[in-house]
Amino acid sequence: MEQARQTDLAVFIQGLPKVELHLHIEGSLEPELMFELARRNGVTLPYDSVEEIRAAYQFANLQEFLDLYYQGMAVLRTRQDFHDLTRAYLERVAQDNVRHVEIFFDPQGHTERGVPFTDVIEGILDALAEGERDLGISSGLVLSILRHLPEEDALKTLEAALPYRDRLLGLGLDSSEVGHPPSKFIRVFEKARDLGLKVMAHAGEEGPPAYLWEALDLLKVDRVDHGNRSLEDPALVARLVTEGMTLTVCPLSNLKLRVVNDLTKHPLKSMLDLGLKVTVNSDDPSYFGGTIGENYRAVAQALDLGRDDLAQLARNGIEGAFSTPERKAALLDELNAHLTTS
Ligand code: ADE
Ligand code: ZN
């Protein structure tokens, strides 16, 4: 009986039309492709096999992950590499019935290695256009600022992106959170808002609630990435609920980076019950052990989520997207059709 219920739920989850709002394209680099690109580009990796790479993916905190993440991205050198990376991600999530994605890229991680900004962004945009054409996955691209670097670097990066203004959805903020508060980036976020970009920031992953307040009040973010630590501050939760702010939560990431010790202790269900607009996302799927679909399946099991919770998570993803009203309405129709037929 229990087995039948689980199978039923797995089928229900598979058919949910999903939206991924928190995905670092460089974090979707699977070890197999990492090896292939290393060979293609004559880059030496400090590993002998795919198994050795996977075994190295054990992290005590965010920084330990970031050290390997920046090391891994060194195999990405050409426009073709960025295309192949993005295409591989889209083909994988098409299997999860992902219908729309808004993905981050970290240009500073590439330009500081001598890779031209144009090659990075053109390669990604090529693959996103193909994903729309071949897989029916709509998308947006978010330029993410590395917060451990000075704001001057961020301003120069935004400047380099100006010719692509119309093909960018937004500006994000990622990398080492503690010690690099949102207040460090007031000017670059103001500039992005003036350009009409959507703005978002990683906040409250490892950083305190004060960083979330800063993201809201100083950066005036349209969306919050992670936001787990908002739960420590009831006034902050009230504000996020009142504003209908979307939080892009990443359960398997939180487990791998020890933001939570055990998935059964993950705050996702409490966040839903408080009325926060939480969504499910994979963050860096190749490092954290699962796509968005695997994140849905893992939390459904660990937190004993039912169909209503899962449907609400999928709905929050659609509503939290920065897509056109027409696309969002079409995705809501897909969701409603799934709910009435399964
Ligand atoms: N860059 C890639 N993944 C990240 C995460 N989870 N937090 C901060 N920076 C990141
Ligand atoms: Zn992230």
Side-chain angles (χ1 to χ4, degrees):
M1 188 62 194
E2 174 56 22
Q3 179 111 34
R5 198 183 77 91
Q6 289 297 340
T7 311
D8 227 35
L9 207 61
V11 172
F12 177 76
I13 291 171
Q14 172 59 29
L16 279 174
K18 299 176 191 69
V19 167
E20 176 136 80
L21 301 178
H22 186 155
L23 178 284
H24 303 264
I25 196 63
E26 297 89 346
S28 74
L29 176 61
E30 291 292 337
E32 289 81 0
L33 184 57
M34 193 189 288
F35 263 109
E36 188 183 326
L37 297 182
R39 212 172 306 119
R40 193 192 279 179
N41 294 321
V43 174
T44 308
L45 289 174
Y47 308 102
D48 290 328
S49 67
V50 161
E51 294 71 34
E52 212 181 294
I53 298 189
R54 289 222 162 81
Y57 292 170
Q58 304 293 335
F59 314 111
N61 53 44
L62 174 60
Q63 193 57 51
E64 284 193 10
F65 153 68
L66 289 170
D67 293 344
L68 287 199
Y69 169 81
Y70 295 123
Q71 175 187 289
M73 67 172 75
V75 301
L76 296 161
R77 303 215 57 92
T78 67
R79 174 171 174 167
Q80 184 71 41
D81 297 342
F82 286 93
H83 165 275
D84 294 355
L85 171 74
T86 309
R87 174 95 199 186
Y89 161 70
L90 292 170
E91 285 180 359
R92 269 194 305 279
V93 295
Q95 318 254 331
D96 278 341
N97 199 27
V98 166
R99 311 287 298 117
H100 176 80
V101 297
E102 294 179 5
I103 69 174
F104 296 115
F105 74 123
D106 285 334
Q108 290 157 290
H110 312 300
T111 52
E112 66 176 9
R113 298 183 288 109
V115 182
F117 181 89
T118 308
D119 291 352
V120 177
I121 192 165
E122 296 271 7
I124 297 171
L125 288 169
D126 287 346
L128 291 178
E130 288 174 15
E132 178 123 35
R133 186 194 66 203
D134 301 341
L135 305 166
I137 301 177
S138 53
S139 54
L141 184 59
V142 180
L143 188 165
S144 200
I145 293 300
L146 297 183
R147 68 202 303 160
H148 65 274
L149 298 175
E151 189 181 27
E152 280 311 319
D153 278 43
L155 286 162
K156 283 193 197 127
T157 303
L158 185 55
E159 192 81 20
L162 289 181
Y164 294 94
R165 159 65 198 92
D166 292 344
R167 301 169 77 190
L168 274 178
L169 182 65
L171 187 82
L173 184 66
D174 66 0
S175 193
S176 322
E177 187 180 6
V178 175
H180 303 284
S183 50
K184 184 176 161 185
F185 296 97
I186 291 174
R187 287 182 305 155
V188 70
F189 271 71
E190 185 174 18
K191 191 146 193 235
R193 293 197 313 273
D194 286 348
L195 288 167
L197 293 170
K198 296 290 182 187
V199 293
M200 56 211 87
H202 283 52
E205 181 184 20
E206 286 189 345
Y211 284 24
L212 280 149
W213 286 107
E214 284 193 8
L216 296 172
D217 291 334
L218 304 181
L219 304 188
K220 304 185 180 4
V221 292
D222 299 296
R223 198 158 72 204
V224 168
D225 295 308
H226 295 294
N228 301 44
R229 290 194 61 188
S230 62
L231 294 183
E232 295 167 30
D233 182 342
L236 178 57
V237 170
R239 162 106 180 251
L240 293 167
V241 171
T242 305
E243 290 188 4
M245 182 65 68
T246 298
L247 270 50
T248 64
V249 175
C250 307
L252 290 175
S253 163
N254 294 157
L255 184 65
K256 276 297 253 191
L257 300 186
R258 316 241 185 130
V259 170
V260 296
N261 295 324
D262 183 331
L263 216 50
T264 64
K265 307 271 174 5
H266 195 282
L268 185 76
K269 171 73 173 144
S270 316
M271 293 167 108
L272 261 181
D273 291 345
L274 284 163
L276 288 164
K277 271 192 89 172
V278 282
T279 64
V280 172
N281 309 271
S282 68
D283 205 2
D284 300 281
S286 83
Y287 291 86
F288 301 147
T291 60
I292 180 173
E294 281 151 351
N295 275 268
Y296 266 91
R297 289 189 279 281
V299 285
Q301 184 161 42
L303 303 174
D304 198 22
L305 301 182
R307 288 182 177 227
D308 288 352
D309 289 329
L310 293 162
Q312 188 61 45
L313 290 165
R315 191 175 299 112
N316 288 348
I318 297 168
E319 289 175 351
F322 298 132
S323 185
T324 60
E326 295 76 25
R327 179 66 179 151
K328 289 168 70 154
L331 293 173
L332 283 173
D333 285 348
E334 280 186 33
L335 175 61
N336 290 331
H338 178 58
L339 298 181
T340 50
T341 56
S342 59

